[in-house]
Amino acid sequence: MASDLDFNVQLRVLNENFNAGINQARDKFTEYAQSVERNISQMVTDTERADKMLTDLGNVDASRLTAELKTTADQLRQMGAGANLSGDQIEAAMRTAAQQVGKLDQELVNARLEATRLGQTDASPEQIEQATASVARLEQELNEAKSASTSLAGELAGAMNRASTTADGARNAIYKMANVRVPETIRGEIDQISRSLTNFQNN
């Protein structure tokens, strides 16, 4: 009778501990699954946004392009999960930025030549003042375009790196999901109760 009682107690303890172990394993599995789903979902969303922004850059009027380059860089910086972009997308975006810089650089060259030419003629003070102001404006626009271009390049690289980190994190979480185990303490108790059961049957 005492042997039956001891076995029943052991069985109840095993059942309680086993359930606790299963719950713990389930919780870990759920945690890993939610982490993968959350991060991958965010990366997909960010990638779609980045894809649209980079596509739109090719259709922006030159007068607004520098501002759009800066806005795109700022938006990429906020994409915590990163964006999985192709080499062609990055190349196209940087080509657009380079064309904007080149365009403004040529306009500045032309403006300086015009200011110099006016200074060698009987141009009115107003004309010279306007030419000088044009040079100053284009110098500022060119510097802003160069800054936006540099920022865009950095943020594109950053978004790609974060996407790689997100993908690596997802792979690690999936690996952990595949290797969730019942705690070793439960395994030891299973072995112990198995031995008790064997002894009980033998007696």
Side-chain angles (χ1 to χ4, degrees):
M1 184 70 178
S3 178
D4 289 351
L5 181 60
D6 289 344
F7 180 73
N8 286 336
V9 170
Q10 288 182 338
L11 185 60
R12 186 178 68 251
V13 171
L14 172 64
N15 184 62
E16 291 173 352
N17 290 339
F18 183 81
N19 287 336
I22 290 299
N23 289 338
Q24 181 182 16
R26 183 192 61 215
D27 290 345
K28 285 185 175 295
F29 188 92
T30 300
E31 176 186 347
Y32 297 144
Q34 289 176 342
S35 174
V36 170
E37 181 179 3
R38 180 174 59 252
N39 291 335
I40 293 300
S41 176
Q42 186 61 55
M43 185 178 69
V44 169
T45 298
D46 287 347
T47 297
E48 291 175 350
R49 287 175 53 212
D51 178 71
K52 183 177 186 307
M53 286 190 298
L54 296 183
T55 299
D56 289 346
L57 278 181
N59 302 317
V60 174
D61 184 83
S63 64
R64 296 188 298 107
L65 186 52
T66 296
E68 288 300 320
L69 291 173
K70 184 177 183 302
T71 297
T72 300
D74 291 342
Q75 290 294 317
L76 287 169
R77 189 180 304 114
Q78 297 174 24
M79 295 180 181
N84 189 25
L85 303 170
S86 69
D88 288 343
Q89 287 176 304
I90 294 175
E91 182 180 351
M94 294 314 302
R95 183 168 57 247
T96 297
Q99 289 172 347
Q100 177 72 347
V101 170
K103 172 182 173 296
L104 290 171
D105 186 52
Q106 186 58 55
E107 288 181 5
L108 177 58
V109 169
N110 294 338
R112 284 172 174 165
L113 289 174
E114 178 63 10
T116 299
R117 186 189 69 79
L118 289 173
Q120 297 171 347
T121 65
D122 295 330
S124 67
E126 290 78 9
Q127 288 177 306
I128 295 177
E129 182 179 351
Q130 289 176 356
T132 302
S134 179
V135 169
R137 175 181 57 78
L138 286 167
E139 286 176 340
Q140 180 179 350
E141 290 183 4
L142 178 58
N143 288 335
E144 290 175 352
K146 287 180 178 179
S147 177
S149 178
T150 299
S151 179
L152 178 62
E155 296 306 332
L156 284 168
M160 287 291 288
N161 288 337
R162 291 194 298 277
S164 178
T165 299
T166 297
D168 288 342
R171 280 191 289 269
N172 289 336
I174 290 172
Y175 174 80
K176 290 177 180 178
M177 288 166 61
N179 287 277
V180 170
R181 295 289 186 268
V182 175
E184 290 301 320
T185 55
I186 303 300
R187 293 184 181 282
E189 292 179 8
I190 291 174
D191 292 339
Q192 180 181 348
I193 199 67
S194 178
R195 287 192 297 269
S196 297
L197 177 59
T198 299
N199 292 336
F200 175 76
Q201 290 173 330
N202 289 339
N203 294 330

